[in-house]
Amino acid sequence: MTLTTPALLFPAISLLLLAYTNRFLVLAQLIRELNAREGEQIRPFVIEQILNLKRRIRLIRSMQFWGVASFLLCTLAMFALFVEFTPLGTALFGISLVALMVSLLTSLYEIHISCDAIAIELESIGKHSHSPEK
């Protein structure tokens, strides 16, 4: 393995971390808007949304953790390869790939959870749009 092999992951991991940060910022803004809109009277479907948002925030934190761990391990792998500790560099790169896979799998689960949030919102809209027929 050469020094350039782990270096190939740098742009991908950087973009992935940026995407995770954007997801976090969107959720934070959504939570602030929900808080401002609901005030003291929280409707039942909003409680479901709050639970969903809490779970998604935890997942995004985990995604970021594993993404940063992957980035750090990739950097350490490059350093080990640079100082010609090839077996250590190869092992660190392998562990970096595993951390990246955990991050991506967590991201996939978070996307699934976000679809649940949309379903809750659609259900709420459906309940409000049905008016009694005359």
Side-chain angles (χ1 to χ4, degrees), residues 1 3 6 8-9 13 16 19 21 25 31 33-34 46 71 75 77 85 91-92 94 98 111 132:
M1 179 186 312
L3 186 62
L8 292 173
L9 278 185
I13 295 173
L16 194 63
T21 300
L25 292 174
I31 290 168
E33 288 173 11
L34 194 60
V46 174
F71 204 20
T75 305
F85 288 139
L92 287 170
V98 170
I111 290 168

Side-chain angles (χ1 to χ4, degrees), residues 1-13 71 73-84 86 89-90 93 96-97:
M1 179 186 312
T2 66
L3 186 62
T4 57
T5 305
L8 292 173
L9 278 185
F10 266 62
I13 295 173
F71 204 20
L73 288 164
C74 196
T75 305
L76 291 172
M78 287 178 59
F79 181 75
L81 291 170
F82 176 74
V83 294
E84 298 181 1
T86 305
T90 303
F93 182 63
S96 169
L97 290 176

Side-chain angles (χ1 to χ4, degrees), residues 7-123:
L8 292 173
L9 278 185
F10 266 62
I13 295 173
S14 297
L15 288 173
L16 194 63
L17 290 174
L18 181 61
Y20 291 169
T21 300
N22 286 340
R23 288 188 75 79
F24 178 82
L25 292 174
V26 167
L27 278 184
Q29 182 63 32
L30 182 61
I31 290 168
R32 287 184 191 99
E33 288 173 11
L34 194 60
N35 184 41
R37 184 181 75 198
E38 290 300 310
E40 297 295 318
Q41 298 290 333
I42 299 178
R43 294 171 285 172
F45 88 94
V46 174
I47 293 171
E48 286 182 67
Q49 289 288 34
I50 291 169
L51 295 173
N52 185 291
L53 290 168
K54 285 180 180 181
R55 194 165 52 176
R56 288 177 62 197
I57 289 288
R58 284 193 304 272
L59 287 170
I60 290 173
R61 183 175 50 215
S62 178
M63 290 159 37
Q64 289 173 326
F65 171 82
W66 289 109
V68 169
S70 176
F71 204 20
L72 181 61
L73 288 164
C74 196
T75 305
L76 291 172
M78 287 178 59
F79 181 75
L81 291 170
F82 176 74
V83 294
E84 298 181 1
F85 288 139
T86 305
L88 177 62
T90 303
L92 287 170
F93 182 63
I95 297 168
S96 169
L97 290 176
V98 170
L100 183 58
M101 284 188 282
V102 170
S103 177
L104 291 170
L105 288 170
T106 306
S107 176
L108 187 62
Y109 182 61
E110 193 273 333
I111 290 168
H112 175 73
I113 300 293
S114 71
C115 290
D116 290 346
I118 293 169
I120 292 168
E121 198 68 33
L122 288 172
E123 186 177 317

